[in-house]
Amino acid sequence: MDTPFDVLVVGAGCAGMRAAIEAHDAGARVAVVSKLHPTRSHSGAAEGGINAALGNTAEDSPEIHAFDTVKGSDYIGDQDAIEIFCEEAPGDIFQLEHWGCVFSRNADGKLDQRPFGAAGSPRTVFSADITGHVLIQVLYEQLQRRMGEGLVVFEEYFAFRLVEDDGRCVGVVCWDLLNGGVKVVTGSATILATGGAGRLYRATTNAYACTGDGMAMALRAGLPLKDMEFMQFHPTTMYPSGILITEGCRGEGGYLLNKDGERFMKRYAPNALELASRDVVSRSETTEIEAGRGLNGSVMLDLRHLGPEKILSKLPGSRELSMTYAGVDPILEPIPVRPGAHYHMGGVETDEWGRTGLEGLYAAGETACVSVHGANRLGGNSLMETITFGRRSGRHAAEYALGRSPSTSARAEAARADAETWVKGVLDVDSGERPWQIRDELGQSMLENFGVFRYPDRMETQIGIIQDLRRRYERGVVVEDKGAIFNSDLTQAIELGYLLDLAMCMLHAGLARQESRGAHSRPSDFPDRDDEKFMKHSISEWVDGVPRLSYREVRVTKWEPTVRTY
């Protein structure tokens, strides 16, 4: 693009759109770059709700929300960031409602709040069980209101490189999916909001677009990624499709049963039961399945006792998904579920304003690691994080960018020419493997060797597998589509490179973390948490083609670690 912008936002899910809106309202000229239409972003797949202590009950407050989040993180969430997050969440909810979010209400006409896992009291605001869909539509409406008034959206622009000039980030190199060709979009500040990397796994709730683009671009630019070993497995993904069944089903009172009809969570979390933290519930389910008490590799989510009225009014989407993809009506019979890769707690290391280690570059949402979630995220906190830290990063990026001189057009042209040469080289490969072959092997092996439970021999095996897959990828993969228009074959080949880099970071950090904490469980050799050695963040940097690992201290403000029970 010939005209430089003040703020460039890469990604148009909840975090990206909220950042763009805030930057625009702060007076910046804003461009949003997205490889999808904004309303197709994966944020729209979130179902159960968004957390904030609104004061509807005397038992909840931002401080209690903060403690629950710290405890849920298994005590390696940064507590200063968590306190900011919980204090500012209620105001963000009210802003969303004023913009038109139709949240469910209780009999008193107040915003209804349902219980969610590991929460001290009901604090999850919701729109039936389609909360993410409602948020994404309302944010897109607000984006549209501002279009033509200093805000531009480049849909179906696939960003694949950062542009740097004199030690600061000044834009991104993109492939124009609609028209073909390499384009450069420049901005005085850039915000990465490209979502997570769940497509590292074969069984995942994540959309095909969730390939860790922002994390990998930052990694290749020399920036550190934080806590990459912590991948959350959601306890209730439908068997066999892997489609998410919201935690709201358990929040409304659903039971988990094994093949004998036993409500087995009584043995693992006698107080919280099905509403223990996600890592606890996923491990419990996996233990039941591996002990032979599952049913076709799954357990059963039973909603029948809730009755038709509650299911139809509060969980209509879950019922529709179950009927369509499992052939099960939850009013009449239980839903088969199992753990599936869901959310990456790790990401680009940022401060509480979204700033990264590269001047002019910010990150927000699942792409970033502030760290609010630590070793395990609480359900309902991710949507809230996209809004709160999307807003904060948009505001700070605008303040940084305004009045700052743009990068030279010569630097943008050099970046475009270099990327064009590289893309031509990718398209010129005529013999070798297809990208999907390597991608399928990666997804299956990650599930087998770096899943809910991690074992040292399997992690070593997986490192070897990833090294082999990387060698095969680097020899050249065949992009059969040589055309320019909607060449998803090309973009998928680039995404595969991202996934391989991130997988290597995850395995190196996981093997080095010799303890069990949150989503990282090593039952055979290090079954306990080790605060003395590992109450710290892992930091992964890319050096000479391999991850280099170091550690950073956790920021503690008031809550010292204790034994985590539910």
Side-chain angles (χ1 to χ4, degrees):
M1 301 295 105
D2 294 332
T3 304
F5 296 90
D6 295 316
V7 175
L8 165 62
V9 181
V10 184
C14 283
M17 286 200 282
R18 186 64 186 90
I21 291 165
E22 189 68 17
H24 172 274
D25 291 354
R29 291 168 301 133
V30 179
V32 178
V33 169
S34 176
K35 65 181 180 181
L36 302 168
H37 185 280
T39 59
R40 292 187 62 221
S41 297
H42 186 59
S43 298
E47 298 172 358
I50 178 169
N51 286 349
L54 301 181
N56 287 342
T57 65
E59 293 77 28
D60 203 14
S61 67
E63 184 172 15
I64 296 173
H65 183 191
F67 170 72
D68 288 345
T69 300
V70 171
K71 179 182 175 182
S73 78
D74 221 346
Y75 291 94
I76 63 165
D78 287 319
Q79 295 181 19
D80 53 351
I82 290 171
E83 289 186 87
I84 290 168
F85 167 65
C86 297
E87 286 288 344
E88 297 184 3
D92 286 325
I93 290 291
F94 298 142
Q95 175 70 78
L96 289 169
E97 193 208 14
H98 293 165
W99 279 343
C101 279
V102 183
F103 292 123
S104 298
R105 292 182 175 272
N106 60 25
D108 297 327
K110 294 182 178 181
L111 295 181
D112 204 357
Q113 292 178 279
R114 59 170 45 128
F116 248 44
S121 64
R123 72 168 63 96
T124 304
V125 182
F126 60 95
S127 298
D129 57 354
I130 56 167
T131 311
H133 176 75
V134 170
L135 293 183
I136 210 87
Q137 298 295 330
V138 167
L139 289 170
Y140 188 57
E141 288 174 1
Q142 294 300 315
L143 209 63
Q144 286 183 308
R145 282 187 59 192
R146 293 158 174 83
M147 287 183 194
E149 299 178 1
L151 192 150
V152 179
V153 179
F154 298 106
E155 295 174 13
E156 292 164 333
Y157 264 53
F158 173 69
F160 63 95
R161 279 189 189 178
L162 300 178
V163 180
E164 296 180 55
D165 187 10
D166 196 25
R168 63 188 181 105
C169 182
V170 294
V172 291
V173 179
C174 307
W175 178 263
D176 182 351
L177 281 158
L178 183 60
N179 302 297
V182 173
K183 306 289 172 63
V184 175
V185 185
T186 59
S188 296
T190 301
I191 303 172
L192 296 175
T194 57
R199 279 290 148 185
L200 280 160
Y201 291 84
R202 180 185 59 76
T204 178
T205 63
N206 284 199
Y208 279 100
C210 297
T211 51
D213 304 4
M215 296 181 202
M217 283 192 285
L219 182 70
R220 293 177 179 183
L223 290 168
L225 303 183
K226 185 174 175 179
D227 292 340
M228 290 299 287
E229 62 269 42
F230 297 114
M231 172 64 78
Q232 181 173 87
F233 281 72
H234 196 287
T236 53
T237 74
M238 204 183 323
Y239 177 86
S241 65
I243 293 170
L244 175 67
I245 296 294
T246 175
E247 190 165 320
C249 290
R250 288 173 285 133
E252 296 295 343
Y255 300 154
L256 288 171
L257 308 177
N258 60 21
K259 72 173 185 179
D260 301 320
E262 178 197 6
R263 194 177 171 189
F264 59 85
M265 285 306 300
K266 293 178 181 178
R267 288 189 275 109
Y268 301 97
N271 296 317
L273 301 170
E274 286 83 3
L275 289 179
S277 64
R278 286 179 177 176
D279 59 319
V280 172
V281 181
S282 288
R283 283 195 295 273
S284 304
E285 290 182 358
T286 303
T287 300
E288 291 293 300
I289 293 166
E290 291 181 351
R293 294 188 291 272
L295 198 65
N296 296 324
S298 64
V299 295
M300 309 306 291
L301 176 62
D302 191 2
L303 308 181
R304 291 172 295 180
H305 57 285
L306 301 182
E309 183 179 348
K310 178 175 269 194
I311 292 172
L312 292 171
S313 63
K314 293 194 172 183
L315 302 167
S318 297
R319 177 175 184 253
E320 183 177 347
L321 288 171
S322 301
M323 294 174 69
T324 302
Y325 295 102
V328 167
D329 185 346
I331 292 175
L332 303 175
E333 53 187 319
I335 309 166
V337 294
R338 62 181 177 184
H342 181 60
Y343 186 91
H344 205 162
M345 275 73 73
V348 183
E349 185 182 30
T350 73
D351 68 6
E352 67 275 13
W353 290 104
R355 289 179 294 192
T356 72
L358 177 62
E359 184 182 348
L361 183 66
Y362 295 73
E366 193 174 351
T367 306
C369 184
V370 181
S371 157
V372 167
H373 308 303
N376 173 70
R377 175 177 71 78
L378 297 189
N381 271 358
S382 61
L383 278 181
M384 196 70 258
E385 182 198 21
T386 66
I387 302 302
T388 298
F389 288 102
R391 171 181 55 76
R392 288 173 67 87
S393 63
R395 172 66 58 169
H396 201 283
E399 292 172 354
Y400 166 85
L402 287 170
R404 192 172 295 271
S405 59
S407 175
T408 64
S409 58
R411 181 68 195 96
E413 176 55 30
R416 188 202 62 77
D418 182 60
E420 203 165 60
T421 300
W422 180 80
V423 168
K424 184 178 183 302
V426 173
L427 292 173
D428 283 346
V429 175
D430 288 320
S431 62
E433 292 185 85
R434 298 282 285 118
W436 66 263
Q437 295 170 302
I438 297 174
R439 189 167 173 163
D440 282 2
E441 288 183 42
L442 175 66
Q444 182 62 37
S445 61
M446 286 291 288
L447 195 63
E448 293 171 356
N449 298 321
F450 202 66
V452 173
F453 292 121
R454 282 93 185 262
Y455 300 93
D457 56 336
R458 294 188 192 178
M459 287 190 281
E460 293 277 12
T461 297
Q462 186 61 20
I463 288 174
I465 289 171
I466 297 168
Q467 288 171 337
D468 179 61
L469 295 176
R470 283 177 57 82
R471 282 191 291 268
R472 288 159 56 186
Y473 178 79
E474 288 166 0
R475 281 199 296 266
V477 291
V478 177
V479 176
E480 287 188 349
D481 185 353
K482 307 298 183 183
I485 309 301
F486 271 104
N487 193 339
S488 58
D489 205 8
L490 169 64
T491 58
Q492 287 174 14
I494 297 171
E495 290 168 341
L496 174 59
Y498 294 157
L499 293 173
L500 289 167
D501 289 354
L502 298 178
M504 189 61 82
C505 291
M506 292 169 67
L507 264 295
H508 275 263
L511 191 60
R513 184 173 286 276
Q514 297 181 343
E515 65 162 354
S516 290
R517 186 186 296 269
H520 181 67
S521 178
R522 298 182 62 159
S524 65
D525 55 350
F526 298 101
D528 300 318
R529 197 177 76 195
D530 187 345
D531 291 332
E532 183 177 343
K533 293 181 180 177
F534 288 103
M535 189 177 159
K536 51 190 176 182
H537 299 293
S538 67
I539 301 295
S540 302
E541 297 174 271
W542 202 251
V543 180
D544 298 327
V546 293
R548 183 179 68 189
L549 196 63
S550 60
Y551 292 93
R552 198 98 74 218
E553 291 300 315
V554 175
R555 300 192 299 274
V556 176
T557 58
K558 61 177 69 170
W559 295 288
E560 294 296 331
T562 61
V563 176
R564 193 173 66 125
T565 58
Y566 291 102

